[in-house]
Amino acid sequence: MNRKHFFLCSMIVIFKTVSGDFIRVMDRPNLAAGKYKLVFKAVFPCNRNNTYPINLNWYLSKVTATKTVLRGNTTAYIGFDENIYFNINMAIWSKIGGWVDNAFVYQNKDACSTLKMFMGKVWNDFCTKGNFKGCPILPGIYIMDGFDLSLIEQSNFPKEFFYGTYKFKLFYTNKNNETVGCLYLVMDIKRPWE
């Protein structure tokens, strides 16, 4: 093959690659963020010695090897309504050990509407399994009867996120910034194939 033919063949390959005929989606398994799957490890109250006006006594129950559900009860001495603030504070497990607080922080008023917005199309199932009718949630005792946590993937939480182990602090505050309910969720955010 002479130089002229080699040059012509090279130009055709470059042109085809740039024009998109040979462009393909590449696996990038070592990126720090992307689509994920959730693996829930623990759920527990923030302070077992403190009785909050909204006590979230939830726990995980592994139904099958691949299915984990949320069980427990909620004792609400006050209503869960739009006068309460919805707060999230996520800590990430450091590569050298220990939790790094404030990795992600979120606060919004109108707690019940905010929770409903995040739950999206799984809100009705969450209400059914939690034995309440929807917003506002009136004072009372509610039994969480096996909410399937795999449904969270269909909610309005971000579809791509940074991989790692997180301690997700979900807490509610009143207008005086006093905590009225608090719960920790510990979870792994993993690559879909892990």
Side-chain angles (χ1 to χ4, degrees), residues 4 21 48 73 106 115 127-130 144 194:
K4 193 178 198 182
D21 288 348
R48 294 185 190 276
N73 65 68
Y106 176 85
L115 180 61
C127 291
T128 301
K129 295 298 184 180
M144 180 60 72
E194 291 183 320

Side-chain angles (χ1 to χ4, degrees), residues 12 37 40 47 60 69 73 81 115 125 149 162 173 178:
I12 290 172
K37 70 175 180 181
F40 289 89
N47 185 349
L60 298 179
V69 297
N73 65 68
D81 55 25
L115 180 61
D125 192 52
L149 289 170
F162 293 94
T173 54
E178 300 165 335

Side-chain angles (χ1 to χ4, degrees), residues 166-191:
Y166 290 90
K167 184 167 61 171
F168 184 100
K169 181 181 180 184
L170 174 64
F171 63 106
Y172 306 113
T173 54
N174 61 20
K175 62 183 178 182
N176 299 325
N177 206 29
E178 300 165 335
T179 301
V180 296
C182 188
L183 182 76
Y184 280 115
L185 293 95
V186 179
M187 67 189 87
D188 286 333
I189 296 181
K190 294 185 166 192
R191 293 170 179 85

Side-chain angles (χ1 to χ4, degrees), residues 15-169:
F15 177 74
K16 288 284 192 182
T17 302
V18 172
S19 69
D21 288 348
F22 290 119
I23 295 176
R24 62 186 169 89
V25 176
M26 296 171 49
D27 251 352
R28 302 202 189 279
N30 294 324
L31 288 178
K35 293 183 180 184
Y36 60 86
K37 70 175 180 181
L38 292 173
V39 178
F40 289 89
K41 299 173 92 175
V43 174
F44 53 93
C46 295
N47 185 349
R48 294 185 190 276
N49 297 327
N50 192 357
T51 302
Y52 294 109
I54 300 174
N55 275 326
L56 303 166
N57 298 307
W58 295 348
Y59 63 91
L60 298 179
S61 178
K62 197 137 178 102
V63 179
T64 66
T66 57
K67 183 177 178 180
T68 302
V69 297
L70 191 61
R71 296 191 187 277
N73 65 68
T74 302
T75 304
Y77 299 104
I78 62 171
F80 184 70
D81 55 25
E82 309 308 16
N83 296 317
I84 295 174
Y85 288 81
F86 181 92
N87 302 275
I88 296 172
N89 191 327
M90 293 175 69
I92 187 167
W93 185 254
S94 169
K95 299 244 184 227
I96 60 171
W99 293 107
V100 178
D101 289 326
N102 302 321
F104 300 95
V105 178
Y106 176 85
Q107 181 184 41
N108 198 8
K109 61 181 184 174
D110 305 334
C112 197
S113 296
T114 301
L115 180 61
K116 182 178 180 180
M117 181 271 304
F118 274 122
M119 295 303 283
K121 62 184 177 180
V122 299
W123 171 251
N124 290 335
D125 192 52
F126 184 71
C127 291
T128 301
K129 295 298 184 180
N131 290 299
F132 54 89
K133 292 186 178 17
C135 291
I137 301 171
L138 302 174
I141 298 174
Y142 301 94
I143 306 299
M144 180 60 72
D145 191 25
F147 175 69
D148 183 0
L149 289 170
S150 69
L151 294 175
I152 296 295
E153 294 175 9
Q154 300 172 29
S155 70
N156 291 332
F157 286 99
K159 302 302 179 203
E160 294 187 6
F161 208 75
F162 293 94
Y163 302 121
T165 300
Y166 290 90
K167 184 167 61 171
F168 184 100
K169 181 181 180 184

